[in-house]
Amino acid sequence: MHIAFTTLLPEEGFRRIASHELYTPLEQADVLVSTFDKPVTREMIMSAPKLQLVANFGVGFNNIDLEACRERGIRVTNTPNPVIEPTAELAFALMHDVARRTAEFDRKLREGKAEPFGVMNNLSHSLYGKTLGIIGMGRIGQALARRAVASGMRVVYHNRRPLGDEAIRRLGYEARYVSKEELLQIADFVSLNLPYTPEVKHIIDGKALRMMKPTAYLINTARGAHVDEQALVKALKEGEIAGAAMDVYEHEPQITPELLEMDNVVLSPHTGTGTWEGRIAMCENVCDNILAWQNNEIDKLNIVL
Ligand code: 8YV
């Protein structure tokens, strides 16, 4: 096999396919390993006559022109499992960070701009006893909910459809299904954990932000285009919500400049799955998909297309 990559990835994760030709030019490749930061465009697909498989390194696949792949009969796979826990970890960390103001305190202490130490100075907000509203209760949403429940939070969620009884039983904790509107109105933290499709572009727009409590925080570790970033800036400026913590941006890697100036905003550089453990496990999942595809073991593939 000839395997092209859009990005240099850790060698140790690809030992099982090291006997194949890796990092070949796309024009000669049977397989392309793609990453979210380098779009797989129609032009690329059409310029790769031998290409048969796009093995995406990541769960989200909005970086790939699926229509062009469909036209060319190219299979597309992703890595849904290894991304679950690291992304849930980061979402949980961002919730803590924005509510307990840890990044802000750290920055201000280093810059000599901190409030003096004192019992009624440097106050923040607890997560304990609060309600987390998860929009997108898939695998990552559920892993976040598990952490939240263990921390004494209540969980409500919104999905296209409520989870079935069996799925709820497997969770082992309580999570109540609510409409998106109710979720926005009652949650102290609103976390976005849904995949991106054009239908959910700006699922958090000005109207949604106005429905949130003025004491609530928005957490986004999913995709930037879920949030109308201009509307978010306005909501933060006008105190419609208390703060936001985000790992992804509408015009990534650009960040709306006002967000960089706000103390009640925590920013992270699209690194939800970016742990060493996560990256290696994602490489392994890419190898699993490539080898299963080569052996025609369709049932073992994480199929996107
Ligand atoms: C990955 C992601 O790092 O898995 C995803 O969908 O957004 C990321 O966290 C990325 O996809 C790597 O290509």
Side-chain angles (χ1 to χ4, degrees):
M1 269 184 296
H2 289 77
I3 306 175
F5 287 68
T6 58
T7 301
L8 190 64
L9 292 171
E11 215 179 288
E12 60 184 296
F14 290 98
R15 288 207 181 107
R16 282 186 296 140
I17 58 167
S19 59
H20 296 277
E21 192 80 34
L22 303 188
Y23 293 96
T24 51
L26 182 58
E27 303 73 59
Q28 290 154 28
D30 314 293
V31 177
L32 171 64
V33 177
S34 56
T35 54
F36 81 98
D37 50 347
K38 307 266 168 54
V40 180
T41 60
R42 170 172 287 273
E43 292 67 41
M44 285 168 72
I45 291 160
M46 297 306 168
S47 71
K50 297 185 181 160
L51 192 64
Q52 295 177 64
L53 171 70
V54 176
N56 196 45
F57 179 90
V59 66
F61 44 82
N62 57 316
N63 51 320
I64 302 167
D65 189 328
L66 287 186
E67 211 29 66
C69 290
R70 191 172 288 119
E71 276 171 43
R72 283 272 326 275
I74 292 171
R75 178 148 316 278
V76 179
T77 57
N78 67 348
T79 60
N81 293 320
V83 307
I84 300 170
E85 299 300 332
T87 309
E89 262 175 16
L90 186 75
F92 198 49
L94 290 176
M95 278 168 58
H96 275 274
D97 204 333
V98 71
R100 297 304 310 262
R101 302 173 58 195
T102 48
E104 178 194 346
F105 289 154
D106 179 83
R107 191 166 57 242
K108 288 185 173 169
L109 283 167
R110 289 167 196 267
E111 289 170 353
K113 291 182 184 159
E115 267 187 72
F117 289 29
V119 251
M120 292 312 290
N121 287 351
N122 297 308
L123 299 185
S124 59
H125 290 282
S126 284
L127 274 67
Y128 182 81
K130 298 287 169 56
T131 298
L132 166 63
I134 297 180
I135 301 185
M137 191 67 158
R139 287 172 274 210
I140 297 171
Q142 292 173 23
L144 172 62
R146 198 177 75 232
R147 288 167 169 78
V149 170
S151 295
M153 299 181 83
R154 269 181 305 277
V155 172
V156 295
Y157 74 95
H158 180 72
N159 256 0
R160 269 173 305 183
R161 280 180 298 280
L163 297 179
D165 292 345
E166 175 54 23
I168 289 283
R169 198 187 54 73
R170 270 202 316 268
L171 290 182
Y173 53 77
E174 255 185 63
R176 186 164 67 87
Y177 178 83
V178 292
S179 67
K180 181 184 141 198
E181 289 68 28
E182 183 179 353
L183 183 147
L184 293 170
Q185 285 161 3
I186 66 174
D188 300 298
F189 296 83
V190 172
S191 176
L192 304 180
N193 297 101
L194 67 169
Y196 181 77
T197 59
E199 297 79 66
V200 288
K201 179 171 181 189
H202 290 181
I203 188 169
I204 299 297
D205 57 6
K207 186 169 166 225
L209 289 159
R210 281 190 295 280
M211 294 177 96
M212 287 172 64
K213 298 191 207 180
T215 50
Y217 299 93
L218 177 70
I219 316 295
N220 189 7
T221 53
R223 283 293 181 264
H226 288 328
V227 178
D228 178 345
E229 229 164 79
Q230 284 306 327
L232 175 63
V233 165
K234 185 167 173 289
L236 288 163
K237 274 191 183 155
E238 295 178 2
E240 284 168 10
I241 64 170
M246 40 220 289
D247 185 44
V248 287
Y249 305 91
E250 189 172 0
H251 305 292
E252 222 166 283
Q254 261 82 49
I255 300 180
T256 303
E258 286 98 322
L259 293 172
L260 298 165
E261 305 297 325
M262 294 178 174
D263 274 337
N264 53 347
V265 171
V266 176
L267 305 168
S268 159
H270 195 147
T271 185
T273 59
T275 64
W276 282 106
E277 296 82 358
R279 286 288 179 256
I280 298 299
M282 288 165 78
C283 293
E284 294 289 352
N285 196 166
V286 168
C287 291
D288 293 338
N289 280 323
I290 293 175
L291 294 171
W293 170 80
Q294 190 191 27
N295 296 330
N296 209 15
E297 296 170 321
I298 303 295
D299 54 317
K300 293 197 183 155
L301 293 175
N302 299 115
I303 294 183
V304 171
L305 183 71

